[in-house]
């Protein structure tokens, strides 16, 4: 059972002796010099990541994603605000304390950041050598087995594919048994097939070790397939955050809607205008996406006709999300009855 402990004005929550909130950012600000002025890269960022979560941060280029993730391990020190790991504000840490806490934070990079002069084995071993760990061989080989590269131990980065290089990067990031894994656009340099395999590996690692993971990306597919929660960043601000399914199926901010426009379901709405015919954009969430709601409605409200123009169903964080573009014909009163039936069955209806 969770145990709550008062500390000053804050309520701190533990579960089996561990913090539930592994990473918390409060009122974080970051600026960069630009001549005589300063550019605001991050504005009052507030974020909580719970133990075992995969938390995605998504935004367009220049939104502040990379700056944010680099402040989480203080590679970029913030101007103000706090970064707390297990309730400790690491912004106040001295250099020695920072070196120690960074061993608890693994990081995966967009361009792999492998040392070309070292073998796969030596790249993975490097963090262990820096930490002066003993019995490194077993640990390195266990990690290479985990990422499926046991046979590549003596190979050099130049002999590897992009996906294999990222697997080495993942193994290296896990070397010191981190509490938190930071992923900076880990699939942006990879093809779609390799991207899928890397996402599956990250998901497997999360499930096996309950490893708290923060991933930044510009790719909605990465968020939908991997993350539990998401924050949308725009102009250095977090403009929307929450459960992935809710944010993507019911977006509130303009920035989120802009991201979703990359894959519009209904294009050129002005085309769907006709006397006596209603064009409907229907959304089905969760169980409703797998139920015969339309056929039941047509049996209940006889006298209307429905023609399906377009449809799709997808998994978002293991939940179904279905969409239909349809035309509805019939008398005005019967059309109204059918629309009311859809709403009673929790179908989101947009009349175009």
């Amino acid at each position: 059972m969770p145990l709550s402990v008062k500390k000053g004005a804050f309520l701190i929550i533990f579960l089996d002796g561990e913090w539930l909130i592994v990473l918390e950012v409060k009122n974080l600000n970051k600026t960069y010099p630009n001549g005589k002025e300063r550019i605001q890269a991050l504005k009052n960022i507030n974020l909580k990541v719970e133990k075992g979560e995969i938390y995605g941060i998504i935004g367009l280029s220049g939104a502040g994603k990379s700056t944010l993730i680099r402040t989480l391990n203080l590679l970029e020190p913030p101007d103000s605000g706090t970064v707390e790991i297990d309730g400790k504000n690491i912004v106040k840490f001295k250099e020695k304390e920072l070196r120690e806490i960074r061993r608890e934070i693994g990081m995966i990079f967009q361009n792999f950041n492998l040392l070309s002069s070292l073998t796969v084995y030596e790249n993975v071993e490097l963090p262990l050598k820096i930490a002066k760990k003993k019995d490194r061989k077993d640990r390195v080989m266990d990690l290479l087995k985990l990422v499926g590269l046991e046979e590549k131990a003596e190979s050099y980065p130049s002999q590897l594919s992009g996906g294999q290089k990222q697997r080495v990067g993942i193994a290296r990031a896990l070397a010191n048994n981190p509490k938190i894994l930071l992923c900076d656009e880990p699939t942006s340099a990879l093809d779609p097939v390799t991207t899928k395999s890397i996402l599956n590996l990250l998901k497997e690692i999360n499930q096996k070790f309950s490893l708290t993971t923060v991933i930044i990306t510009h790719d909605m597919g990465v968020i939908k397939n991997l993350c539990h929660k998401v924050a949308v960043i725009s102009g250095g601000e977090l403009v929307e955050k929450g459960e992935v399914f809710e944010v993507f199926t019911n977006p509130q901010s303009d920035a989120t809607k802009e991201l979703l426009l990359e894959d519009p379901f209904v294009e050129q709405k002005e085309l769907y205008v006709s006397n006596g015919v209603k064009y409907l954009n229907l959304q089905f969430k969760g169980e409703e996406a797998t139920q015969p709601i339309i056929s039941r409605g047509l049996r209940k409200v006889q006298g209307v006709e429905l023609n399906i123009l377009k449809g799709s169903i997808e998994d978002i964080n293991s939940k179904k999300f279905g969409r239909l573009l349809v035309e509805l014909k019939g008398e005005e009163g019967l059309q109204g009855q059918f629309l009311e039936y859809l709403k009673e069955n929790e179908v989101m209806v947009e009349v175009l």
Side-chain angles (χ1 to χ4, degrees), residues 158-172:
S158 61
Q159 298 170 307
L160 304 178
S161 67
Q164 289 171 333
K165 289 177 183 176
Q166 194 56 286
R167 286 173 181 268
V168 177
I170 292 170
R172 181 185 57 191

Side-chain angles (χ1 to χ4, degrees), residues 48-164:
K48 290 182 181 180
V49 184
E50 295 182 10
K51 179 176 172 54
E53 277 187 336
I54 304 179
Y55 204 118
I57 300 169
I58 189 170
L60 300 173
S61 296
K65 304 185 299 296
S66 293
T67 301
L68 176 55
I69 202 167
R70 288 171 65 84
T71 61
L72 299 183
N73 59 4
L74 262 61
L75 290 177
E76 292 279 1
D79 294 0
S80 62
T82 64
V83 178
E84 298 181 9
I85 295 177
D86 285 348
K88 299 174 184 176
N89 180 16
I90 68 171
V91 173
K92 295 183 177 180
F93 278 15
K94 304 296 184 184
E95 190 59 37
K96 182 180 178 181
E97 293 174 299
L98 270 179
R99 284 198 300 269
E100 291 175 357
I101 198 68
R102 281 174 179 153
R103 291 172 187 165
E104 299 181 4
I105 307 172
M107 191 159 185
I108 302 170
F109 300 90
Q110 177 179 354
N111 293 317
F112 321 126
N113 281 24
L114 303 180
L115 295 178
S116 60
S117 60
L118 300 184
T119 65
V120 165
Y121 180 98
E122 291 167 338
N123 267 281
V124 177
E125 183 191 30
L126 187 59
L128 298 170
K129 291 180 74 172
I130 293 172
K132 299 180 180 178
K133 297 285 183 71
K134 297 179 180 179
D135 303 319
R136 299 191 294 267
K137 183 176 181 180
D138 287 346
R139 177 63 179 162
V140 172
M141 293 311 297
D142 284 346
L143 288 167
L144 291 180
K145 182 178 181 180
L146 176 68
V147 301
L149 290 179
E150 286 175 285
E151 297 179 358
K152 298 290 185 179
E154 298 305 316
S155 299
Y156 286 88
S158 61
Q159 298 170 307
L160 304 178
S161 67
Q164 289 171 333

